[in-house]
Amino acid sequence: MTRSGAFCPRCGDPLEKDPRNRPGSEARDPDSALCDSCYFEQFDLVDAPDRIEVRVCSQCGAVHRGNRWVDVGAEDYTDVAVDVTSEALGVHIEATDVSWQVAPEQVDRNTIRMHCTFTGVVRGTALSEEVIVPVKISRETCKRCGRIAGGSFASTVQIRAVDRTPTDEEEERAEAIAREIVAEMEATGDREAFVTDVGSVDGGLNIKVSTTKIGQKIAQRLVSEFGGSFSDSERLITEDEDGEKVYRVTYAVRLPPYAPGEIIDPEDGDGPVLVRSVQGNLKGTRLKTGRDYEAGFEDGDAPDATRLGDRSDSVRTTLVAIEDENAVQVLDPDTYETKSIPRPDYLEEGSDEVPVLKSRAGLHVLPRDENE
Ligand SMILES: [Zn+2]
Ligand SMILES: [Zn+2]
């Protein structure tokens, strides 16, 4: 027996090899001076907690990690439990060639037993160890879902229109914009972004959101898509625990009086106009000729005009004949009589049918709807 001249500090046996000569081991493992039998007697390959609690939000599926709620996008909590368990397990620093696996066993809806199997090599000896860690899923309501449920909001966007109520399309788009902005902010990890409420009111739609920044973005994006303008007003609600004043901001959006797709008569003698755009000043197409119409600078998006209808009021009718460069014959969609009406330059020769609008101003051919 080769003697190293060293003795085990616990049992006093002489040591064959001084374990302290293993490079680097003493600094890491205080037990490294022990003989093999004393060393393995108290050795744990795996360091595992007795139990793990995973707090999840039963509303949105967020998981509480550290001291905050995190959106993990988990389909079910088994994957989350495996991750959390894996993070909580430690393997002895002296072990090499470590491999391990964690197998979940669903006990009931809120309990998962994690079978964790480890293998590794310590002092030249292959070891394996299995530990079972119970994971309890505790279902709670996260801070954000609590605030949504409580109706918390910092900003209201009021969507209205001048001299009319907003169209279904405008209201649907307003809500979609709100959801898009919140989704964009959530994608950056922002958990404070949410839509609290979307509600129809007399004259339009109110959207309540969690921050003033979201409200402002909705108002800006709506106006850039539909024209019009918005103003904001703030109201002191309370002071928070730090004495900071908390304001609620209302963004009042006023969409222009005429929406694209409407047919109006500016009563300037040149006949009806199909509204194409209300960005800045109103632009449209004359139904008699197909020429462009643009409201004067001072009228902006609200020239004096009479409403005649909407593109959705149009019907298709038979194009009977092209009379000359200024007139065509169509069937009146109500009486089926042949009528001679103005020929706009957008009318395509060779069409069998054309969309027409019958209004107080008479019968007019509409341009083809590019969205169809
Ligand atoms: Zn010993
Ligand atoms: Zn939640």
Side-chain angles (χ1 to χ4, degrees):
M1 194 179 202
T2 44
R3 297 271 172 99
S4 63
F7 298 90
C8 172
R10 184 157 304 163
C11 68
D13 280 356
L15 297 172
E16 274 181 51
K17 279 189 296 188
D18 187 341
R20 282 168 297 192
N21 293 340
R22 289 196 189 94
S25 65
E26 188 183 15
R28 293 182 293 164
D29 184 356
D31 292 337
S32 62
L34 301 178
C35 73
D36 284 358
S37 85
C38 288
Y39 187 77
F40 282 119
E41 198 175 295
Q42 56 167 52
F43 182 82
D44 279 325
L45 181 62
V46 187
D47 179 28
D50 295 338
R51 65 193 294 276
I52 292 173
E53 186 186 33
V54 179
R55 296 167 63 194
V56 303
C57 176
S58 56
Q59 307 296 314
C60 70
V63 174
H64 197 263
R65 286 277 179 96
N67 58 359
R68 62 197 194 96
W69 290 94
V70 188
D71 289 310
V72 294
E75 297 274 298
D76 75 275
Y77 295 124
T78 310
D79 292 341
V80 175
V82 169
D83 286 348
V84 172
T85 307
S86 303
E87 281 166 25
L89 294 169
V91 67
H92 199 281
I93 49 171
E94 286 295 304
T96 57
D97 299 326
V98 174
S99 69
W100 55 276
Q101 58 181 32
V102 176
E105 177 202 348
Q106 191 87 38
V107 178
D108 60 38
R109 185 163 171 266
N110 294 323
T111 314
I112 302 167
R113 278 156 60 93
M114 289 294 170
H115 298 263
C116 316
T117 314
F118 280 76
T119 61
V121 176
V122 175
R123 292 196 176 190
T125 306
L127 301 174
S128 76
E129 191 172 322
E130 189 188 326
V131 291
I132 295 172
V133 183
V135 179
K136 171 129 178 62
I137 306 286
S138 86
R139 287 164 207 270
E140 305 175 6
T141 299
C142 76
K143 204 173 145 206
R144 175 180 61 185
C145 291
R147 290 180 59 204
I148 296 171
S152 159
F153 67 100
S155 175
T156 304
V157 186
Q158 298 176 337
I159 296 119
R160 306 287 186 273
V162 176
D163 296 338
R164 65 183 177 97
T165 53
T167 63
D168 289 350
E169 189 206 344
E170 286 164 339
E171 292 193 0
E172 281 162 21
R173 186 67 195 126
E175 180 172 357
I177 286 171
R179 308 266 178 218
E180 281 167 18
I181 288 167
V182 164
E184 285 162 16
M185 297 176 79
E186 274 181 347
T188 68
D190 188 341
R191 296 203 90 244
E192 298 308 312
F194 55 82
V195 176
T196 310
D197 186 53
V198 178
S200 285
V201 292
D202 251 6
L205 192 72
N206 283 359
I207 301 179
K208 291 179 183 173
V209 291
S210 59
T211 71
T212 57
K213 193 172 149 196
I214 300 170
Q216 188 187 35
K217 279 188 175 183
I218 295 170
Q220 283 168 341
R221 212 174 280 185
L222 258 178
V223 166
S224 82
E225 282 188 27
F226 291 106
S229 61
F230 72 91
S231 59
D232 58 66
S233 57
E234 60 178 22
R235 193 155 69 87
L236 181 64
I237 297 306
T238 182
E239 286 185 6
D240 68 12
E241 53 267 35
D242 303 324
E244 296 282 330
K245 291 179 164 53
V246 178
Y247 292 94
R248 218 171 248 173
V249 180
T250 298
Y251 295 92
V253 176
R254 281 171 304 273
L255 299 172
Y258 307 110
E262 268 194 274
I263 292 97
I264 61 170
D265 188 352
E267 288 167 358
D268 55 5
D270 289 333
V273 169
L274 170 68
V275 179
R276 286 199 316 265
S277 159
V278 285
Q279 305 285 359
N281 55 348
L282 185 145
K283 297 174 193 69
T285 306
R286 292 282 188 186
L287 298 186
K288 278 186 179 171
T289 57
R291 290 202 195 102
D292 283 340
Y293 165 85
E294 189 168 338
F297 176 76
E298 57 285 354
D299 291 331
D301 58 18
D304 274 342
T306 315
R307 275 176 227 282
L308 295 177
D310 189 272
R311 187 190 269 287
S312 62
D313 302 325
S314 70
V315 291
R316 299 190 70 82
T317 193
T318 304
L319 177 62
V320 178
I322 293 183
E323 231 166 69
D324 57 36
E325 57 189 26
N326 297 316
V328 290
Q329 291 177 1
V330 298
L331 285 189
D332 183 308
D334 295 332
T335 64
Y336 299 103
E337 285 175 277
T338 301
K339 290 260 175 75
S340 180
I341 64 171
R343 174 186 176 179
D345 57 15
Y346 49 75
L347 184 137
E348 289 165 24
E349 278 181 62
S351 311
D352 297 331
E353 276 193 336
V354 288
V356 292
L357 178 80
K358 201 173 182 184
S359 72
R360 277 180 288 161
L363 195 58
H364 291 93
V365 181
L366 295 185
R368 183 200 296 274
D369 188 352
E370 275 146 31
N371 299 322
E372 270 176 13

